[in-house]
Amino acid sequence: MEIEKKLKNARENVGLTQEEVAEKIMVTRQTISNWETGKSLPDIISIMNLSGLYQISIDELLKEDKRMKEKLEKDANAAQG
């Protein structure tokens, strides 16, 4: 399952709206919407925050999602210089 579906399902499972999640992790509601529709991908800090909020492991969120893996690799390479 793609990360956008995992994020939406996890949010719905804990009974939160996009607006509530946005407030809790300090991003916009539009950002949450973009993540859940696959228009953009969350950074690792946001993944960590969502993992805690949704009470789901980071591994479970990221496992088998090629786009997310590529983004994290790209972010890590950019951080290294």
Side-chain angles (χ1 to χ4, degrees):
M1 181 185 304
E2 296 86 10
I3 191 162
E4 56 266 24
K5 292 177 184 174
K6 290 179 184 179
L7 291 173
K8 184 174 181 178
N9 289 343
R11 177 181 57 78
E12 290 174 344
N13 286 342
V14 296
L16 294 173
T17 65
Q18 288 182 346
E19 185 68 38
E20 291 167 330
V21 172
E23 288 175 16
K24 290 179 185 294
I25 67 166
M26 297 186 290
V27 298
T28 66
R29 189 215 49 85
Q30 186 64 39
T31 297
I32 301 297
S33 176
N34 286 341
W35 293 343
E36 290 185 2
T37 59
K39 290 181 182 174
S40 65
L41 295 169
D43 59 26
I44 191 63
I45 300 299
S46 298
I47 289 289
M48 291 168 46
N49 291 334
L50 292 167
S51 171
L53 182 62
Y54 297 158
Q55 298 179 347
I56 186 172
S57 72
I58 292 172
D59 184 56
E60 193 172 342
L61 281 173
L62 301 180
K63 200 171 204 168
E64 299 177 19
D65 190 285
K66 184 178 178 183
R67 282 182 59 219
M68 193 67 214
K69 181 179 177 186
E70 289 171 355
K71 180 194 185 316
L72 292 174
E73 288 174 355
K74 182 179 174 185
D75 290 352
N77 289 336
Q80 291 176 357

